[in-house]
Amino acid sequence: MAYLNKKESEVRIAQVKEILQSKNLDVALVYYDEFNIGNGWYLTGWCPQFESGAVLIPRSGTPLILGGPESEPFAKLDSMITETRNFPVFMVPDEEYPNATIIDFRMLFEELNAQLGSVKRIGMVGMGRMPAEGYRQIAEGFKGVALVDITEEYVRLRFDKSPWEREQIRAAFKLADHAYDAITGKIDVGVSEIEVAAAGEFAVRSRGASGFGFGTIVGSGKRSNAVVPTASSKLLEAGELVMVGIAPKVNGYAGVVGNVLSVNGEYTSRQRDCINYLKEAFRLTKEQLFPGKTGREIDAPARAYFEKHGLSKYLVCPFAHTIGLHEAESPFFGPNSEDILKPGMTVCVDVSFFGHPEFNGTRIETGYEITENGPVPLSKKMDSLFME
């Protein structure tokens, strides 16, 4: 069962063909793997396990999944693009598949020439992420063809979310609320970080989550300095703060929640100061979430506030980013960003600092849908908590 619906897939493939037309290209080749999942998923609603691959969109004719034989049956069942071709470079190294049909890029080139007449220019998406051997085999197989990087044009298709995409993201944030309740209910002295993560993950998997945007973050005490610490067997100790984050997905689209909680259930005076620093920076950033603002404008107020309170040297990440197929994806609204906030975007305010000698690492995070009139909370629960 595909996570992506047919109408969305058709619209996106048509948009890719518009890029081909505008740049006089014959074919688009969109690389993906389990780490770089978003670009492939955007067209297919699917990503393989173990193998990597690419989506091939010709200027006319049938789109293809280029991958390996282990995930071929999976693609035919669950991908919106079901026509497949298998290549050694995308397969599990050294594994044998005696009953599979496996070709090379020279053979694919011949097939495309027969279909399209003549292939002279191919638009490449994710070329900078592709393993060197994959690029070498493509370049040799398509000898004499110009390989044109269209990653930027393609990724910009994902900036503004469709009504259907926003629906999935809203549903994912509802799951994140359930996860947060389960996590807060589990935190106690002597409980392991893994147990805390398990409570949140069960809460959303049991309610239909299709996956996670990142490995669930549970970092207590000094482990929170790791920025994105996945849960360990460490037991929570009295007096500690514990940083938590979870990003459930619905139909491949992420929601998220992040917070810093007291293991004891009550914050000390200094721990309250820490939380208030985060909340004030959060409020300052949220106030900037209006259409027309650039990334540097969105980032500036909270950055100045952190500078005033001596926290700038502990900054690792900017304060705002979009959310979609990845929990954090382009555009990232950092201090040098000229990207412009637009209605239809879904944006997280993600305030954090790490390596502090007293507070260790901290993060609070939730998301907003950007409208003509400003930000609308994707989680009223977390918005209310962080705006207190």
Side-chain angles (χ1 to χ4, degrees):
M1 174 180 164
Y3 287 122
L4 182 61
N5 70 45
K6 191 172 188 294
K7 180 181 178 182
E8 286 284 320
S9 181
E10 289 173 347
V11 167
R12 296 170 190 187
I13 290 171
Q15 289 174 324
V16 174
K17 290 185 177 182
E18 288 176 8
I19 295 174
L20 296 180
Q21 179 71 24
S22 69
K23 290 188 167 291
N24 191 29
L25 299 167
D26 300 302
V27 175
L29 198 65
V30 181
Y31 174 75
Y32 61 78
D33 55 37
E34 288 181 83
F35 179 73
N36 302 289
I37 187 176
N39 286 337
W41 190 286
Y42 187 68
L43 298 173
T44 66
W46 173 86
C47 184
Q49 294 206 84
F50 310 119
E51 297 170 333
S52 58
V55 182
L56 187 145
I57 306 294
R59 65 173 183 260
S60 63
T62 304
L64 304 175
I65 293 283
L66 313 182
E70 193 152 354
S71 288
E72 186 175 31
F74 183 21
K76 289 183 179 298
L77 284 171
D78 282 6
S79 172
M80 290 305 301
I81 296 173
T82 57
E83 186 73 18
T84 61
R85 302 289 186 275
N86 298 317
F87 298 82
V89 74
F90 296 138
M91 293 162 47
V92 177
D94 302 323
E95 183 68 277
E96 296 184 40
Y97 301 94
N99 293 319
T101 300
I102 299 168
I103 66 174
D104 60 25
F105 288 101
R106 180 188 56 79
M107 296 168 69
L108 176 64
F109 188 29
E110 292 173 356
E111 178 183 341
L112 292 173
N113 275 321
Q115 175 185 328
L116 301 175
S118 177
V119 174
K120 297 179 180 178
R121 289 166 55 83
I122 293 180
M124 301 286 288
V125 176
M127 193 159 56
R129 296 280 188 171
M130 183 182 296
E133 180 61 17
Y135 180 81
R136 185 191 68 78
Q137 290 191 25
I138 290 169
E140 290 185 0
F142 294 152
K143 193 171 183 179
V145 173
L147 301 181
V148 182
D149 192 344
I150 58 167
T151 303
E152 182 177 350
E153 292 86 349
Y154 179 87
V155 170
R156 285 190 173 275
L157 297 178
R158 295 171 48 196
F159 281 14
D160 302 334
K161 303 302 189 286
S162 72
W164 182 84
E165 287 178 295
R166 296 197 296 272
E167 181 183 345
Q168 312 316 307
I169 293 167
R170 284 192 291 268
F173 271 87
K174 287 182 180 178
L175 290 185
D177 283 347
H178 287 294
Y180 184 74
D181 290 342
I183 283 170
T184 55
K186 190 65 176 179
I187 289 174
D188 201 356
V189 176
V191 174
S192 73
E193 293 175 352
I194 288 173
E195 290 176 279
V196 174
E201 290 171 6
F202 177 78
V204 297
R205 275 296 199 185
S206 63
R207 290 175 169 85
S210 62
F212 295 91
F214 53 69
T216 301
I217 293 170
V218 184
S220 56
K222 290 186 177 181
R223 286 201 76 252
S224 63
N225 282 320
V227 184
V228 286
T230 51
S232 75
S233 59
K234 179 185 176 300
L235 303 182
L236 306 188
E237 300 176 23
E240 285 184 323
L241 292 176
V242 54
M243 182 179 70
V244 299
I246 191 167
K249 285 188 171 186
V250 171
N251 289 329
Y253 285 83
V256 71
V257 62
N259 203 2
V260 183
L261 302 166
S262 167
V263 173
N264 291 48
E266 293 185 5
Y267 298 97
T268 67
S269 174
R270 284 294 290 155
Q271 287 172 344
R272 281 197 298 272
D273 288 342
C274 171
I275 301 303
N276 286 332
Y277 289 142
L278 294 170
K279 286 186 174 183
E280 182 59 22
F282 187 98
R283 285 190 286 268
L284 290 167
T285 304
K286 182 188 172 185
E287 288 173 359
Q288 301 301 310
L289 296 184
F290 282 83
K293 292 278 190 178
T294 64
R296 63 171 69 240
E297 290 175 313
I298 294 166
D299 180 87
R303 192 166 294 271
Y305 175 78
F306 267 32
E307 182 69 27
K308 176 182 176 181
H309 291 278
L311 297 171
S312 293
K313 59 186 174 183
Y314 306 115
L315 273 174
V316 174
C317 309
F319 302 109
H321 57 75
T322 53
I323 185 169
L325 289 170
H326 296 281
E327 187 277 330
E329 61 183 28
S330 297
F332 295 87
F333 298 108
N336 298 305
S337 168
E338 295 295 341
D339 287 306
I340 297 173
L341 197 65
K342 297 178 181 179
M345 287 182 170
T346 46
V347 175
C348 287
V349 178
D350 182 357
V351 178
S352 61
F353 59 85
F354 300 95
H356 193 278
E358 182 180 0
F359 302 130
N360 298 306
T362 63
R363 168 181 274 124
I364 62 174
E365 180 178 11
T366 190
Y368 298 89
E369 180 179 342
I370 305 304
T371 71
E372 294 284 358
N373 298 317
V376 174
L378 289 162
S379 169
K380 292 182 180 179
K381 175 203 291 281
M382 301 313 298
D383 175 71
S384 176
L385 178 63
F386 296 151
M387 295 298 291
E388 283 178 348

